[in-house]
Amino acid sequence: MIDYVRLHSYFIVEKGIGSICATSYIGAVKRFVKATGIEQPTKDDLINYLVAFYTSNKSYSHITNTVLALERYCEYLGTPIRLGRPKKPKRIVTNTLTETEIARMFTICRNVRERALLGMLAYTGIRNLELCNLPVKDIDFQNNTVFIKGGKGLKDGIVCISPECLVIIKEYLHRYPRKEHETLFFTIARNKKHDRLHTQSVRKFVKQLAKRAGIQKRVWPHVFRHSLAMNMLMKGCDIYSIREQLRHSYISTTFIYIHSNPKIMQNKYQVFCPSYLWEATKDPFIINSNQYYIKK
């Protein structure tokens, strides 16, 4: 039998993998063992298991994470195996929410807690897990910023938040008082008011809210991060400011949003496009040439 507790500790302590990633790797190993019944796999066993991932059109991230998890697991067993990696696709963001759609979701909220949850997602671009772990003390009401500690890749960061959203947060804290070290949001199910809010609860909330607002698109917490970037770009924000707000490690990640919406490039193009035909109407040479052809 596999000692998953010891394997989890191995991932964290000996391989230097973050806790969230280590938990994900454990899940991948469990799925492999459940599907194959093999606890001491050979390279052929792994290849036979993974080939179905490619033929069933699993996502790039899912395949890559599974490959990494199984490689680390084999290292743990003392039989290191190196596998290939799928080519990273040049993806675009196709599903975002407009300002009007998000505004409609605000109007359909039933209470200040729902408005506060939606406001943090929509105005900051915070990730789901980061939102659930956010303590009250990390919100700077004076400077309109939010400190994100130990975000993706264990990176810290500071993001901006609108004064209008902070007004909602203050109303929420007045209705549900929280201590500074406590998380901003908590579950209210079964009167467990001190339980940390879980990511699945946030996913369920935004899905139900979108349905109540009559939005036909698929809506999940991360779509508000994409939507913030798109809507800021549509308003003319520069790509470097958006990179800082989303805390991307590489600017190439932020450029995905420009490539995903032709309207953004169209807006810039119409502003800076050369005025060839307009200039032609003022050119004496062209004017005289036109008069010559008219006489002929």
Side-chain angles (χ1 to χ4, degrees), residues 1-5 7-8 10-11 17 21-41 46 49-50 53 62 65-77:
M1 294 291 292
I2 301 173
D3 187 345
Y4 287 109
V5 174
L7 178 60
H8 190 270
Y10 168 82
F11 286 153
I17 298 170
C21 187
T23 302
S24 174
Y25 283 1
I26 292 291
V29 173
K30 286 181 177 179
R31 288 190 293 272
F32 168 79
V33 174
K34 183 179 179 179
T36 64
I38 301 171
E39 294 186 357
Q40 301 278 341
L46 299 181
Y49 174 71
L50 289 170
F53 282 56
H62 185 65
N65 288 339
T66 302
V67 168
L68 289 171
L70 295 176
E71 284 184 346
R72 299 294 182 271
Y73 174 57
C74 290
E75 291 174 7
Y76 168 77
L77 296 175

Side-chain angles (χ1 to χ4, degrees), residues 199-227:
T199 55
Q200 59 265 32
S201 298
V202 181
R203 286 194 293 270
K204 183 178 179 180
F205 160 69
V206 297
K207 183 179 180 180
Q208 292 176 342
L209 187 62
K211 185 177 180 180
R212 295 203 318 254
I215 296 172
Q216 301 300 318
K217 301 174 181 176
R218 176 173 172 257
V219 177
W220 70 102
H222 207 78
V223 80
F224 293 96
R225 184 174 172 86
H226 294 321
S227 301

Side-chain angles (χ1 to χ4, degrees), residues 206-269:
V206 297
K207 183 179 180 180
Q208 292 176 342
L209 187 62
K211 185 177 180 180
R212 295 203 318 254
I215 296 172
Q216 301 300 318
K217 301 174 181 176
R218 176 173 172 257
V219 177
W220 70 102
H222 207 78
V223 80
F224 293 96
R225 184 174 172 86
H226 294 321
S227 301
L228 177 65
M230 285 293 196
N231 290 322
M232 289 178 69
L233 278 170
M234 290 296 289
K235 285 178 170 290
C237 182
D238 66 275
I239 196 72
Y240 296 99
S241 296
I242 294 174
R243 175 194 179 182
E244 291 300 314
Q245 180 68 21
L246 299 185
R247 293 165 289 122
H248 286 155
S249 298
Y250 304 101
I251 192 66
S252 58
T253 305
T254 318
F255 268 107
I256 291 172
Y257 296 106
I258 292 181
H259 302 150
S260 300
N261 192 336
K263 289 183 179 179
I264 295 170
M265 187 58 195
Q266 184 66 242
N267 291 343
K268 293 291 185 182
Y269 176 81

